Amino acid sequence: MVSNNYPDSEARGSSAIEARAYSKAAWRLLPFLFLCYVAAYLDRVNVGFAKLQMLNDLAFSETVYGLGAGIFFIGYFLFEVPSNIIMHRVGARVWIARIMITWAIISAASLFVKTPTMFYVMRFLLGVAEAGFFPGIVLYLTYWFPAVRRSRMNALFMMGIPVAGVVGGPLSGWIMAAFQGVGGWSNWQWLFLLEAIPSAVLGVVTLFCLPNNIRAARWLSEEEKRVLEANIQRDDAGKTHGSLGKVFTDLRIWKMAVIYFCCMMGLYGISFYLPTLVKASGVQGALQVGLLTAIPYAVAVASMFFVARSSDRTGERRWHFAIPAALAGVGLYASTQLTGNIPLAMLALTVGTAGMLATMPVFWTYPSAILAGGSAAAAIGMINSVGNLAGFVSASIIGWLKDVTHSTNAGIYCVSGALVFGAVLALLQTRQAARGSERLAG
């Protein structure tokens, strides 16, 4: 009896150690990384609120704003892959701290912008400074969590985007309403300064709180470390460990980059123009606009969590990406047809925002299902850099079309079409990556 039961007891003991180790890792890492992403996203998109006053103060056109908002992603594109490769080599602790402190300084310095050229330069430098943060954390999570847990972990980290909207909308609206003229500065100048402070503080904390890998985590026992490291080694078995040249010529990676580009068209169309779209629905006052922009992001928190959990539980990826992406495109299009009807316009914007953000945790299971090590670092950086060029494209297109047509509708149509196109591509062109995720999940 004892010998027959021993294997079961041993298995239960091993399972308990694994569960305890993953619980520790999740609670130690995800809340902190989540806070860092909230701060990062505030610094990236608070220009959408600054726009409400800055354009009048500086006599900028919508085209100037769109180009400046979007040029961030040129700097981001150029330095994304090198940044991720450096992080993989030197470790996340020092490199993520460097990124956060640098972007905080540049974001705060944006308050001194006076001319379009200065605006373009500061946005470009902000993109250079932040390059590598998001894909760096996506890569970092692959050091800790196997594929069967990764969509949920991605979701917990990426919820920083909608929570930044929930917190940042009212906060930015309040700063814009309360700080106009204080100390001789305009409200948008105070916005850039005050919202850079959390990033600087968290960057310093990162130096003391973020372990580079499982082996460096002092809060894990030796037994827990061995279990987690063994799981990652099994997870990496059979994945590609190729050269950088092979990564850049791998058709699967380029297909993922195109899909992510479509996804990011939606994200940055929403991020840079949601305050404008809410105001266009008939809402007046910066604080009121800020409060209402929190609604779509609050719903998106729930959509990200439930879609990611369902995707991990079933092992299915393609439809879990495609359906929210298509709904996002339909929701954004519908919002343009409901101008003047605040409740229905807000409902449409909420569907668009929640659907768009729900795609992100699921998408990032694709590259990590087929790549590992330096290949994964390069591929994740490349996909994210190419995809984020959509931030430049969407902001520039919407700004230019608004100057030409005196409406954001034409630009939003382009964004909606990109989201639906991305949904179709996900169903047609990601079968191999999806099968990889499903196989690992099984």
Side-chain angles (χ1 to χ4, degrees):
M1 292 290 292
V2 173
S3 61
N4 288 339
N5 288 337
Y6 181 77
D8 290 339
S9 300
E10 186 176 42
R12 284 195 297 270
S14 176
S15 177
I17 293 170
E18 181 177 322
R20 183 172 66 246
Y22 279 121
S23 178
K24 282 185 180 180
W27 281 105
R28 289 277 187 162
L29 299 176
L30 269 302
F32 180 70
L33 296 176
F34 165 84
L35 285 176
C36 290
Y37 199 26
V38 170
Y41 211 73
L42 279 177
D43 283 343
R44 182 186 298 188
V45 303
N46 58 10
V47 69
F49 274 93
K51 168 183 183 287
L52 299 177
Q53 182 64 37
M54 185 173 68
L55 268 62
N56 288 333
D57 287 356
L58 303 180
F60 287 177
S61 68
E62 291 283 349
T63 300
V64 167
Y65 167 75
L67 181 58
I71 208 168
F72 167 96
F73 298 98
I74 302 300
Y76 199 84
F77 171 78
L78 293 175
F79 289 89
E80 187 91 332
V81 174
S83 179
N84 231 31
I85 293 172
I86 292 171
M87 194 204 84
H88 183 65
R89 292 176 178 173
V90 307
R93 182 178 63 87
V94 171
W95 197 244
I96 295 299
R98 191 284 304 164
I99 290 173
M100 296 189 69
I101 294 169
T102 306
W103 93 51
I105 293 171
I106 294 172
S107 183
S110 298
L111 69 90
F112 298 112
V113 164
K114 298 294 183 184
T115 67
T117 299
M118 291 177 66
F119 183 45
Y120 300 152
V121 169
M122 296 306 296
R123 291 294 296 176
F124 177 82
L125 291 177
L126 187 63
V128 171
E130 194 183 323
F133 176 77
F134 175 83
I137 300 302
V138 170
L139 177 66
Y140 180 70
L141 292 176
T142 70
Y143 300 163
W144 292 82
F145 300 99
V148 293
R149 298 174 180 269
R150 200 163 291 149
S151 184
R152 281 165 290 179
M153 295 303 106
N154 286 344
L156 290 173
F157 164 59
M158 294 175 196
M159 280 179 189
I161 297 177
V163 170
V166 172
V167 174
L171 175 63
S172 297
W174 175 74
I175 292 173
M176 294 287 285
F179 280 79
Q180 176 62 29
V182 175
W185 285 358
S186 185
N187 50 12
W188 60 269
Q189 293 176 299
W190 281 107
L191 183 70
F192 285 135
L193 176 64
L194 295 177
E195 292 191 350
I197 294 173
S199 297
V201 172
L202 288 169
V204 174
V205 173
T206 297
L207 288 169
F208 301 96
C209 292
L210 195 68
N212 282 331
N213 48 43
I214 294 170
R215 183 53 46 185
R218 297 178 181 177
W219 33 265
L220 288 174
S221 68
E222 184 60 32
E223 193 174 28
E224 290 167 342
K225 290 178 183 179
R226 286 198 298 267
V227 169
L228 298 192
E229 288 172 338
N231 286 347
I232 293 300
Q233 288 170 4
R234 283 194 297 270
D235 203 52
D236 287 347
K239 295 182 183 179
T240 300
H241 292 260
S243 66
L244 294 183
K246 289 183 179 179
V247 168
F248 289 112
T249 58
D250 191 329
L251 185 59
R252 297 171 301 173
I253 305 304
W254 283 103
K255 289 176 180 177
M256 292 178 195
V258 173
I259 293 168
Y260 195 57
F261 181 92
C262 294
C263 184
M264 292 297 96
M265 283 286 288
L267 176 63
Y268 292 113
I270 291 168
S271 299
F272 291 134
Y273 283 93
L274 184 58
T276 301
L277 295 173
V278 171
K279 188 174 181 180
S281 70
V283 179
Q284 299 298 319
L287 181 58
Q288 288 73 22
V289 170
L291 291 171
L292 283 178
T293 59
I295 295 174
Y297 287 119
V299 175
V301 172
S303 72
M304 291 178 78
F305 176 77
F306 287 112
V307 171
R309 186 174 70 169
S310 173
S311 181
D312 274 351
R313 186 176 62 248
T314 62
E316 201 287 320
R317 306 299 189 190
R318 293 182 299 123
W319 286 100
H320 280 82
F321 176 93
I323 291 174
L327 286 174
V330 172
L332 290 180
Y333 172 80
S335 72
T336 66
Q337 308 303 304
L338 298 168
T339 301
N341 188 324
I342 295 176
L344 289 181
M346 287 304 305
L347 176 62
L349 287 171
T350 299
V351 170
T353 304
M356 193 275 115
L357 286 168
T359 65
M360 292 186 64
V362 178
F363 173 84
W364 283 110
T365 63
Y366 293 159
S368 58
I370 60 175
L371 297 165
S375 296
I380 290 171
M382 192 200 82
I383 291 168
N384 195 60
S385 62
V386 171
N388 274 278
L389 283 177
F392 175 77
V393 174
S394 62
S396 299
I397 286 177
I398 295 174
W400 175 69
L401 287 175
K402 185 172 183 183
D403 273 343
V404 172
T405 66
H406 305 292
S407 171
T408 57
N409 287 0
I412 297 300
Y413 297 157
C414 294
V415 170
S416 299
L419 283 164
V420 174
F421 183 60
V424 173
L425 287 181
L427 292 176
L428 294 177
Q429 299 184 357
T430 61
R431 294 181 183 275
Q432 185 171 4
R435 283 199 300 269
S437 298
E438 291 165 5
R439 182 172 60 252
L440 290 167

